[in-house]
Amino acid sequence: MPFFMVRGVEKMHEIMKKFLILMAMICCLHKVFGQETVFDLIDKATKIEASQELNNLYNLVDLDVIQYFNIRGYETELQVAVFKKTEEYKQKLEEVKAEKRKMLKNNYCIVYKGSVTDYDMKKKGIFMELGSNYCMEDADIRTPKSVKKGDGAILFRALPTEWRKDAYIDGIENEYLFFPVGEVTGLEVESARENLQAYFFFAIDGQLTTKVRFYDASLYNPNARGWYKADRRDLKADKVRVVLANQKTGKIFSDKTYTYKAPTANTQDVKK
């Protein structure tokens, strides 16, 4: 190969090497100085997307071997009692206990999308509708400050929510979750409201049964319509990171962590 061609190849290799080094530096700078997106946060958590995934967490909390492994053939109390005396059950119970220990150390994410209000000039933020005390069927019953996924729910007792009278139905109230944002960010939030989602990052620390008051608007039995109370059991997380972000771009508009503090004798933490 002629000398000038050798020199040319060497020069090209040197240029490529410098280019690759430059690209690596840009990537590092992006990681250090680039804005964190909600996608980055999700990558570090276990996202609960299907109702069955949440149901399995309930099964782990309950150490319910039969439901967790979806074992068939044990329908009566006697059948279950006999099964619990077998080596198979004891082995699977240890597996469930191990999974439960992992679960309690895990960081989860659950996503919620609700209607968003206009920017609140007095409170300096926006509100997202979280739920209502109006139910069409038993599956609609929810505990205040909780996020549902199918029949299951995660209760975040520390959430900053408020209740507002429904604009159309007397006696009905809707619960709204508050997101603190500045006015400049508020303009961007209002224009992107169709793509806004709330992301909750948390570790499960137990379960709680709450007596919930709700209005039953049953379509199937009009004579049964009225106000009722029912016990609702939810998994709970007393510390939660709440993020408001654009589901398409991943841009974060609000990012706050809330920790539940037990109420004093003169306060209540759930709506009665």
Side-chain angles (χ1 to χ4, degrees), residues 64-80:
D64 192 330
V65 171
I66 293 176
Q67 290 298 323
Y68 183 76
F69 288 106
N70 194 27
I71 300 174
R72 302 298 183 183
Y74 301 99
E75 309 297 334
T76 70
E77 291 185 20
L78 178 59
Q79 290 172 338
V80 172

Side-chain angles (χ1 to χ4, degrees), residues 55-247:
N55 289 341
N56 273 337
L57 297 183
Y58 274 84
N59 295 331
L60 287 177
V61 169
D62 296 336
L63 296 179
D64 192 330
V65 171
I66 293 176
Q67 290 298 323
Y68 183 76
F69 288 106
N70 194 27
I71 300 174
R72 302 298 183 183
Y74 301 99
E75 309 297 334
T76 70
E77 291 185 20
L78 178 59
Q79 290 172 338
V80 172
V82 172
F83 177 59
K84 287 185 176 181
K85 295 178 182 179
T86 65
E87 288 300 318
E88 179 187 359
Y89 175 82
K90 293 176 182 178
Q91 178 182 346
K92 290 188 179 298
L93 178 60
E94 291 305 314
E95 293 179 33
V96 171
K97 286 180 178 179
E99 289 299 318
K100 180 178 179 179
R101 288 192 291 269
K102 292 179 184 178
M103 177 199 73
L104 294 174
K105 295 178 181 179
N106 202 5
N107 180 39
Y108 290 96
C109 171
I110 194 167
V111 183
Y112 179 81
K113 184 179 181 65
S115 61
V116 177
T117 66
D118 291 340
Y119 186 81
D120 191 313
M121 294 296 293
K122 292 183 178 179
K123 296 187 177 180
K124 303 300 180 184
I126 64 100
F127 289 86
M128 177 181 287
E129 187 176 358
L130 196 59
S132 173
N133 58 5
Y134 180 87
C135 303
M136 299 294 292
E137 54 186 0
D138 290 348
D140 296 333
I141 301 172
R142 62 172 288 275
T143 307
K145 298 179 183 287
S146 71
V147 177
K148 293 195 66 179
K149 182 71 70 172
D151 292 335
I154 306 293
L155 175 61
F156 305 109
R157 296 187 289 177
L159 289 184
T161 65
E162 67 176 48
W163 288 80
R164 300 179 179 180
K165 293 182 179 179
D166 189 85
Y168 305 102
I169 308 175
D170 290 338
I172 302 303
E173 293 181 306
N174 301 310
E175 186 178 26
Y176 287 84
L177 173 61
F178 179 67
F179 293 93
V181 293
E183 292 182 7
V184 175
T185 303
L187 285 173
E188 190 174 356
V189 168
E190 286 186 338
S191 63
R193 70 179 74 202
E194 291 184 0
N195 294 317
L196 293 180
Q197 288 189 155
Y199 300 80
F200 302 85
F201 298 91
F202 59 94
I204 295 170
D205 55 38
Q207 60 180 314
L208 187 67
T209 298
T210 307
K211 192 169 289 294
V212 179
R213 184 172 182 266
F214 63 96
Y215 184 83
D216 187 348
S218 174
L219 293 176
Y220 307 106
N221 187 7
N223 294 328
R225 293 175 183 172
W227 289 97
Y228 296 90
K229 286 186 178 181
D231 288 335
R232 168 82 201 185
R233 185 172 73 104
D234 306 301
L235 301 182
K236 72 179 183 71
D238 283 343
K239 184 177 181 180
V240 57
R241 182 177 182 180
V242 185
V243 174
L244 179 69
N246 187 312
Q247 64 177 335

